[in-house]
Amino acid sequence: MGTGLPCGGAEHRILIENSEYWLRNYGDLAMLEVTVRRLRERWPQATIGIMTESRALVAAYFPDALGITVGDRNPWGRSGPLERVCAALGPALVGPGAVAWLRARSRLLARAIRVRDRLRGRRSPPAERADATGAKPATELVPRIEQRHPGAARAVREASLVLALGGGYLTDADLPQAGRVLDLLEYASAAGIPAAMVGQGIGPMRDPDLRERAARVLGRLPLIALRERRRGPGLLDSLGVASSAVTVTGDDAIELAQHVRNVRLGNDIGICLRVAEYAPVAARAQESVGAAVRGAAVEFGARPVPLIIAETPGSPDRATTLPLVRASANAVAALGRFVRPREVAEQVGRCRVLVTGAYHLAVFALSQGIPVVALTSTEYYDDKFLGLDDMFGGGVRLIHLDDPELGAQLAIAIREAWKAAETVREELCVRADEQAAASREAFERLFELLERSHA
């Protein structure tokens, strides 16, 4: 290539801002798996660091990568004996202990914060103010990431590239994570470290502070690859981001589902109901969803399949999905808690129709030519699913969970999707292949960006 780089990019250190630090969302894991594989294909000897709260889980899922935490003192140091053991054992054996530790630590941390806040309240120290010259307190001169996440700051300073993985976190619905990612990207840009975003779903974004920060940070990035074109490009344009930096690729997880695509159409009905703070669902609506899916399974002689894409504390799909099929005589057993995303995509691939409130299950289905009945209760999920429908040229039927005729409307949607499945399959697969190719082209731009910076 004539860049003067060491063979295999041996000196590269690529820091991935992973959108889910506990590695408990199989959609995020799918994007991460595709990203790591692409980076390895280009630079076999590069060091790949993944931001996380569990080095053990990173080692179990990605043995050739480093887990980097926000408090790491030596983020790019070699893996220790524990990580090597976890890499050998894999996620099924490592996962339960790693997550138990994360939960215990979270409880202890929350307790410590409450005690600290009570003590601060008793002392009531005067707030720091600018002195007579107008100078800010010293703490305000230190970048926020160095104060809150010093390990991440160290990792950025020693990186060759900072890459923000795909997700839907640049939105009003996820302000803490949006702030964390913007902190990282802004710090990288200020330090002269190349940074980019891939597979992004952006918005809704009306919060004025978030918009101001996003405009300041995103406008400095040379590449932002979006997973949809319905909302993202216009939103970035409204923030002043140059169109030359923006490209639309589709979701990076499409490639993983593409690789497990079945030759024949399945005969199961997949179901996942997402209930979370950002996706509220009334108890009566949950009952209606279960009844409609069970009824359709009987009507078509199909097996209902509970599909779990997120095991995170704030959105445990297992707890809200399994009850929906419990009364079915022939329901398929759910996968275990610490599987690989490929296994989830394969289970989706045995379905003829998918009913889902979870975005990445819809990605897995559409990428394999399977129509989707999408369940939504918020504008955030409206945008996610309508963006997918646009990228695939159809294949998604939106059902609102607050519809007073929910049960009847859902039954009709499932019936129509079942009948149309053979007709829409080929076109959905073609659209998936086009998006996977566009995503790879965006990564070529990313590779060239880093290689030019090291030429």
Side-chain angles (χ1 to χ4, degrees):
M1 288 178 286
T3 61
L5 290 173
C7 179
E11 293 184 358
H12 289 339
R13 288 176 169 175
I14 303 158
L15 180 65
I16 299 176
E17 165 53 39
N18 173 39
S19 58
E20 204 280 290
Y21 279 22
W22 281 34
L23 276 69
R24 302 307 301 123
N25 184 298
Y26 297 116
D28 294 333
L29 275 171
M31 293 186 291
L32 186 53
E33 183 176 314
V34 169
T35 299
V36 170
R37 181 172 65 243
R38 290 173 176 176
L39 293 172
R40 276 280 168 254
E41 288 172 358
R42 184 63 164 233
W43 299 307
Q45 299 178 46
T47 302
I48 298 175
I50 298 171
M51 294 303 305
T52 184
E53 288 193 36
S54 175
R55 294 190 194 91
L57 277 174
V58 168
Y61 276 109
F62 304 99
D64 61 347
L66 288 173
I68 296 176
T69 70
V70 297
D72 259 327
R73 295 186 178 277
N74 183 23
W76 296 102
R78 291 180 179 274
S79 297
L82 176 60
E83 286 77 16
R84 290 193 288 273
V85 170
C86 292
L89 293 176
L93 294 176
V94 171
V99 169
W101 162 245
L102 287 173
R103 287 174 176 159
R105 191 185 65 179
S106 294
R107 287 193 293 268
L108 288 172
L109 182 60
R111 190 177 303 165
I113 290 172
R114 288 195 296 270
V115 170
R116 181 201 65 186
D117 290 346
R118 282 199 299 269
L119 292 174
R120 283 182 174 176
R122 290 172 187 169
R123 292 170 186 164
S124 301
E128 288 187 285
R129 295 183 175 85
D131 61 24
T133 65
K136 292 183 178 180
T139 54
E140 293 188 23
L141 300 176
V142 179
R144 181 163 57 179
I145 190 173
E146 290 186 6
Q147 298 176 49
R148 297 182 177 181
H149 302 148
R154 294 186 193 100
V156 168
R157 291 196 300 268
E158 299 171 13
S160 309
L161 171 71
V162 174
L163 181 61
L165 201 67
Y169 44 76
L170 288 181
T171 175
D172 299 332
D174 202 352
L175 292 175
Q177 188 166 334
R180 183 182 73 192
V181 175
L182 291 173
D183 281 349
L184 197 78
L185 294 171
E186 185 170 38
Y187 192 72
S189 295
I193 307 298
M197 305 186 81
V198 293
Q200 295 296 319
I202 298 179
M205 189 185 295
R206 298 188 181 90
D207 182 273
D209 292 333
L210 178 58
R211 287 183 61 87
E212 187 277 329
R213 279 214 74 202
R216 186 172 74 245
V217 176
L218 302 184
R220 301 177 65 179
L221 301 182
L223 174 64
I224 302 175
L226 299 174
R227 66 190 187 192
E228 55 79 34
R229 59 176 165 244
R230 181 173 171 271
R231 294 285 193 190
L235 197 158
L236 290 176
D237 181 67
S238 75
L239 296 175
V241 177
S243 60
S244 59
V246 179
T247 186
V248 178
T249 64
D251 197 288
D252 295 329
I254 289 173
E255 185 170 285
L256 181 140
Q258 179 192 40
H259 287 171
V260 303
R261 187 184 293 160
N262 281 330
V263 176
R264 294 184 179 85
L265 194 62
N267 199 54
D268 295 336
I269 298 179
I271 173 64
C272 177
L273 182 62
R274 171 67 52 82
V275 181
E277 184 178 348
Y278 55 84
V281 183
R284 181 175 296 180
Q286 296 179 45
E287 293 169 3
S288 296
V289 170
V293 170
R294 293 191 301 272
V298 171
E299 179 180 351
F300 295 112
R303 301 181 304 172
V305 185
L307 294 162
I308 315 301
I309 196 80
E311 303 272 17
T312 52
S315 53
D317 292 342
R318 191 174 298 273
T320 52
T321 300
L322 293 185
L324 304 182
V325 301
R326 206 162 275 155
S328 298
N330 62 339
V332 175
L335 293 175
R337 279 188 162 80
F338 294 93
V339 298
R340 296 185 184 275
R342 178 188 183 94
E343 297 174 66
V344 180
E346 287 172 342
Q347 195 175 41
V348 172
R350 291 190 284 272
C351 297
R352 183 183 177 101
V353 171
L354 171 68
V355 180
T356 181
Y359 163 85
H360 263 114
L361 282 173
V363 172
F364 287 172
L366 295 167
S367 302
Q368 299 181 76
I370 299 165
V372 171
V373 178
L375 307 173
T376 174
S377 63
T378 63
E379 181 187 16
Y380 176 56
Y381 269 94
D382 287 352
D383 283 357
K384 280 189 169 191
F385 288 128
L386 291 174
L388 268 181
D389 186 65
D390 176 65
M391 292 298 293
F392 280 88
V396 179
R397 169 76 180 272
L398 212 64
I399 297 292
H400 288 95
L401 289 160
D402 59 357
D403 188 329
E405 301 296 325
L406 172 61
Q409 292 299 318
L410 182 53
I412 292 169
I414 296 173
R415 190 175 297 118
E416 291 176 347
W418 186 275
K419 292 177 179 178
E422 290 186 7
T423 305
V424 302
R425 179 176 169 80
E426 183 177 354
E427 180 61 22
L428 292 177
C429 289
V430 168
R431 293 297 185 102
D433 295 345
E434 291 172 350
Q435 291 174 74
S439 177
R440 279 197 166 269
E441 288 177 10
F443 269 74
E444 285 298 319
R445 285 181 59 181
L446 179 71
F447 299 149
E448 292 168 5
L449 169 70
L450 180 54
E451 287 166 354
R452 281 198 307 270
S453 71
H454 282 73

